[in-house]
Amino acid sequence: MIYLDANATEPLRPEGREAAMEAMAVVGNPSSPHSAGRQARAILDHARRSVSAHLGVHPDNCIFTSGGTEANTLAVKGLGQGCRRLVGATEHDAVRKASDDADRVEALPVLPDGRIDLAVLEEKLSDRSQETLVCVMLANNETGVINPMSEVSRLCRAAQAKLHVDAVQAVGRLPVSLTELGADSVALSGHKFGGLKGAGALVLAGNGPVVVPPMQAGGGQERGRRGGTQALPAIASMSAALDAALAQPADLRALRDRLEAAALQQGALVCGAGAPRLTNTACLVLPGVRSEAQLIALDLAGFCVSAGSACSSGKVGGSHVLHAMGLGDLVGNALRVSLPWNVEASHVDDFIEAYTTMAVRRKAD
């Protein structure tokens, strides 16, 4: 089996595994005052300081969650409470579906290359009759397209609007600083850069603790902003994996470009090819060959790839991201290949061979 579905989840890094095992050996609850609890608290505090340092925020404003979905939901429902919400058309469903009041949500269209339409954003922000929360992701999970966040931030600051950034696919692959983004909040998820599944964070701008209404009050953990005992092994794993990912960032552009060039030879289209993208992500559209047929053929050949977001419960096709980019009927012909941190050149060569064989056979059917 060759795993090429990193945007769904990255393989666990050795550093993440080791940190998780060490944390699992600690029996205490981080909220307990005794020595075992203090030992657990020390691991939690170290992870919080480390993640905060990488994102450029005060440790008090790093809220540990169960993952990216919870972090995004906490931002939208907490920071966006009572706000009008402007949400990018290609946002992950964790953001798109977080609002309970659809009447207060307005979609922000994207250009054909997948980047947010800044002209429309500026126009919508000209209405300052109510407080506004803007939600624009840093890097798209299906296409890898990177949004022009400096311009988005500039427009938000000029309009005194809040900005939430879903950076789940970007953290660990790009340098991400809350200050440089000019964002009020950023969501991340540990398993997207090689940590255990089950831990994420919402990090907030500010020099002291920022008040965010909790979705679950529980016992008042995370300074009352997210109740529930912290998942210590997953949090420790996330912190260690982030350290490792940023210490040796993987530039997979050459392998991705080789893969895309081979797909283009078979008549495929590359979604978002004209925009800056994550170096590990290729979204390929093969006219005339349905996504389901591509996935089955490649799975039988021993390759793990996808047709889009892994959060669609096995659903293939119908991507709202590609619809927003104007692909129309071609939406059902898309395949996402996302290279993991430990990919080898031979894996890409083998995939190219399998993809070429699949494309030739399917087009002949």
Side-chain angles (χ1 to χ4, degrees), residues 49 51-62 178-179 203-206:
R49 288 192 300 270
V51 172
S52 299
H54 287 309
L55 276 294
V57 301
H58 193 283
D60 288 346
N61 284 330
C62 175
L178 218 69
T179 302
V203 296
L204 309 166

Side-chain angles (χ1 to χ4, degrees), residues 26 53 104 106 155 160 163 314 326 344:
V26 176
R104 300 181 71 88
E106 299 176 40
L155 293 173
Q160 297 183 321
L163 174 60
E344 299 176 10

Side-chain angles (χ1 to χ4, degrees), residues 4-245:
L4 303 177
D5 197 18
N7 287 11
T9 189
E10 284 275 12
L12 183 62
R13 291 177 181 269
E15 298 86 352
R17 182 188 302 274
E18 182 180 353
M21 295 298 291
E22 291 177 358
M24 280 191 279
V26 176
V27 69
N29 186 314
S31 297
S32 297
H34 47 61
S35 59
R38 293 195 300 273
Q39 187 178 6
R41 170 62 67 175
I43 294 173
L44 184 69
D45 289 345
H46 171 78
R48 196 185 309 278
R49 288 192 300 270
S50 179
V51 172
S52 299
H54 287 309
L55 276 294
V57 301
H58 193 283
D60 288 346
N61 284 330
C62 175
I63 305 171
F64 287 129
T65 66
S66 62
T69 293
E70 186 186 347
N72 278 314
T73 304
L74 181 59
V76 173
K77 291 189 174 184
L79 293 178
Q81 193 172 75
C83 292
R84 165 202 186 205
R85 296 164 190 169
L86 303 180
V87 177
T90 58
E91 294 296 300
H92 192 280
D93 280 347
V95 172
R96 294 172 69 234
K97 297 181 178 181
S99 179
D100 295 325
D101 187 355
D103 293 337
R104 300 181 71 88
V105 179
E106 299 176 40
L108 295 170
V110 297
L111 302 173
D113 66 5
R115 287 181 288 183
I116 203 77
D117 190 325
L118 294 170
V120 174
L121 174 60
E122 184 173 21
E123 179 186 358
K124 287 184 176 291
L125 286 174
S126 65
D127 176 6
R128 303 187 187 182
S129 60
Q130 53 187 318
E131 191 173 13
T132 300
L133 173 69
V134 175
C135 299
V136 175
M137 69 196 326
L138 179 49
N140 187 266
N141 53 299
E142 295 189 28
T143 64
V145 168
I146 299 170
N147 271 307
M149 297 310 303
S150 60
E151 290 301 303
V152 171
S153 173
R154 180 184 63 80
L155 293 173
C156 289
R157 288 197 302 269
Q160 297 183 321
K162 298 177 183 177
L163 174 60
H164 170 64
V165 177
D166 174 357
V168 165
Q169 290 294 340
V171 172
R173 295 175 180 152
L174 297 173
V176 178
S177 163
L178 218 69
T179 302
E180 292 180 8
L181 284 176
D184 294 279
S185 58
V186 165
L188 61 135
S189 182
H191 74 102
K192 300 296 187 179
F193 43 81
L196 280 182
K197 302 173 186 70
L202 177 67
V203 296
L204 309 166
N207 294 323
V210 175
V211 176
V212 178
M215 292 187 298
Q216 54 191 47
Q221 292 89 347
E222 299 300 302
R223 294 184 175 269
R225 297 168 297 188
R226 196 271 187 187
T229 300
Q230 295 91 345
L232 195 62
I235 290 170
S237 178
M238 173 174 68
S239 171
L242 185 56
D243 289 343

